[in-house]
Each structure stands twice: as C-alpha cells, then as structure tokens.
Amino acid sequence: MKYIKFPESLTKINNINSVTSDGAFYRCISLTSIVIPKNVTYIGKYTFYSCNNLKEVFILGSPTVAYDAFTNCHSALEVYHAEDMITFDKNIINYGDTHNVSYTNNLKAYTATLHDYKLETDAGTHTTNLMFTYSDGVNFDVEIPYTYTINKAPLTIKVNDAEKVYGDENPQFTYSVSGFVNNEDENALSSDVSFTTTAEKGSKVGTYPVSASATAKNYEILSNDGTLTVTKAPIT
C-alpha cells in the first residue's frame, strides 16, 4: 500500500494496541508518503511504526503527535507542517499601496499554486488563511495562515500663516491637506481639524506657532505648523 486517501472527516489516527507497537499502519513497508487532513487533531503512539520506506509526511492541520508515531521510518523521513511549506516574503505595506502576496515555496520538488484571495485594505495587522494547491507528485490543498501589516499612510496638514491685531480674538485658521490616497479626500478624516497655539486675546506683539491635529483610521497625521503674527493695535 503506497497511497492512503484519508477522509476529510477524520479527526484521530490511533494505534491498535496501546501497549505494543501494533500501530494502525504498523510495518506498511510500501508506504512512501502520506497526507494528514487538516481536521486530524491526534496521531497516536506507534501509528506509523516501522514504515521503513515512509519518506514524506504532509500535516495539513495542527494535530498532537504522540511519541514514537513515526519511529523506525525511513532514515530520510521529512515531516512537513502546513506553516513550514510556504514562507511569505513581504507582509508589510503602506495604506494605499498595491498588496500582492509574495511567497517562497519551501517544498522545492513540488509545485505550489496560490488560489484567488481577498485581503483587508484598512490599516492594522490582519491574519487570514490562504489556500495553496500542491501538485506535480503530490495532490492536496493546504490553508496557510498569512499575517500582514498595513501601516497608516502619512498625511500632512499645512497651517496657513495668519495675522491679528493685538487685543483681538484669534482668527479662524485655514489649512490645506496633502497625502490622501485611493482618491480619498477630507471625508476620510475621523474628526474635524483642530488648532493649537499659545497665542490668546491678550498675547503680546510677536509671532506664535500654530499646529493642527486630526484623527483618521488609515492616516498618520503630521502638522506643518503655521505662524500667527500679532501686530500692534492702533491708538489715537
């Protein structure tokens, strides 16, 4: 028996006798490779004991593997877990950038094909399962967790310079915004733009910095400060 087709509903693979080494596949010497379905949660002790020609085990889920489950198999036996099959090369982008999943297939002898996928677009750290199909010598689908980070895009609020006469209230400050992506505009802000300055109604003649602030789900707000100039009041 070289090939075993396990049903997807399988959850456990136990040995026949818990005392002896009579595993469920004890001395299946023709067995060369097996694929353990993702729903399997437990592989019992001695299950594949003395499968002398077993060289490759592909574990698609995260089962508990008992001691000696693969004892006395081929000396070159490789046990591949799902998370070891694929390495993702790039997983950090900025909001608004094109996000193409880049990966390396660690099972060089076989072909891995990534299925269509849909990723989150908002800033933050996200995890999703991506489906790969392996072929050219094996035939199975495997879901591999992909964690990626979308950084907030930089957004600059430039405060326009303003002027007032000594004794007057501060003027209504104006500004311009640069850095929106995805054809967005100020509707992407989560709050109104607010301003901060040390100048008050009674502040002395001189210049004072004016900074702006706001919040946005997908943007890191930077302030390009302006200057408020307080001029002398006329007196007759």
Side-chain angles (χ1 to χ4, degrees):
M1 177 170 51
K2 291 185 177 182
Y3 175 76
I4 303 170
K5 177 66 174 180
F6 290 114
E8 292 297 322
S9 58
L10 183 67
T11 59
K12 291 183 179 181
I13 305 175
N14 288 316
N15 54 316
I16 297 173
N17 189 319
S18 60
V19 178
T20 70
S21 59
D22 296 333
F25 297 93
Y26 173 67
R27 291 191 61 79
C28 288
I29 59 175
S30 295
L31 192 62
T32 59
S33 66
I34 54 173
V35 178
I36 307 296
K38 67 178 182 179
N39 290 326
V40 172
T41 59
Y42 180 74
I43 300 174
K45 187 176 181 180
Y46 300 131
T47 298
F48 296 96
Y49 189 87
S50 288
C51 294
N52 304 122
N53 291 304
L54 181 59
K55 294 182 179 180
E56 293 180 310
V57 178
F58 304 93
I59 299 178
L60 307 187
S62 301
T64 298
V65 181
Y67 175 73
D68 277 349
F70 297 102
T71 297
N72 287 348
C73 293
H74 195 280
S75 59
L77 172 68
E78 293 284 355
V79 179
Y80 300 106
H81 295 268
E83 62 269 21
D84 301 325
M85 298 179 188
I86 296 291
T87 298
F88 294 104
D89 303 327
K90 178 184 178 182
N91 60 356
I92 300 176
I93 66 168
N94 289 328
Y95 176 72
D97 290 350
T98 300
H99 190 175
N100 295 318
V101 176
S102 176
Y103 64 91
T104 298
N105 173 20
N106 296 323
L107 306 187
K108 304 299 183 182
Y110 310 108
T111 299
T113 303
L114 175 60
H115 290 213
D116 291 339
Y117 56 88
K118 184 177 181 181
L119 302 177
E120 296 288 340
T121 57
D122 286 335
T125 298
H126 312 280
T127 299
T128 187
N129 286 330
L130 298 180
M131 180 72 75
F132 289 83
T133 292
Y134 270 94
S135 57
D136 293 339
V138 293
N139 181 19
F140 61 83
D141 292 334
V142 56
E143 287 187 338
I144 299 178
Y146 174 52
T147 299
Y148 54 99
T149 298
I150 302 176
N151 292 324
K152 291 185 175 183
L155 187 72
T156 300
I157 301 177
K158 182 183 183 304
V159 182
N160 298 323
D161 292 340
E163 186 176 290
K164 76 166 185 170
V165 174
Y166 171 73
D168 288 351
E169 297 286 354
N170 287 347
Q172 182 69 44
F173 297 112
T174 60
Y175 63 93
S176 61
V177 183
S178 60
F180 285 115
V181 297
N182 297 337
N183 295 317
E184 293 178 340
D185 54 27
E186 288 192 37
N187 289 321
L189 298 179
S190 305
S191 69
D192 293 332
V193 176
S194 59
F195 302 93
T196 302
T197 181
T198 57
E200 299 174 339
K201 182 177 180 179
S203 295
K204 296 179 181 180
V205 171
T207 58
Y208 300 84
V210 183
S211 61
S213 63
T215 58
K217 182 177 183 180
N218 292 309
Y219 293 93
E220 190 70 39
I221 308 296
L222 307 174
S223 176
N224 186 346
D225 293 355
T227 299
L228 173 62
T229 300
V230 179
T231 62
K232 292 181 178 182
I235 188 170
T236 303

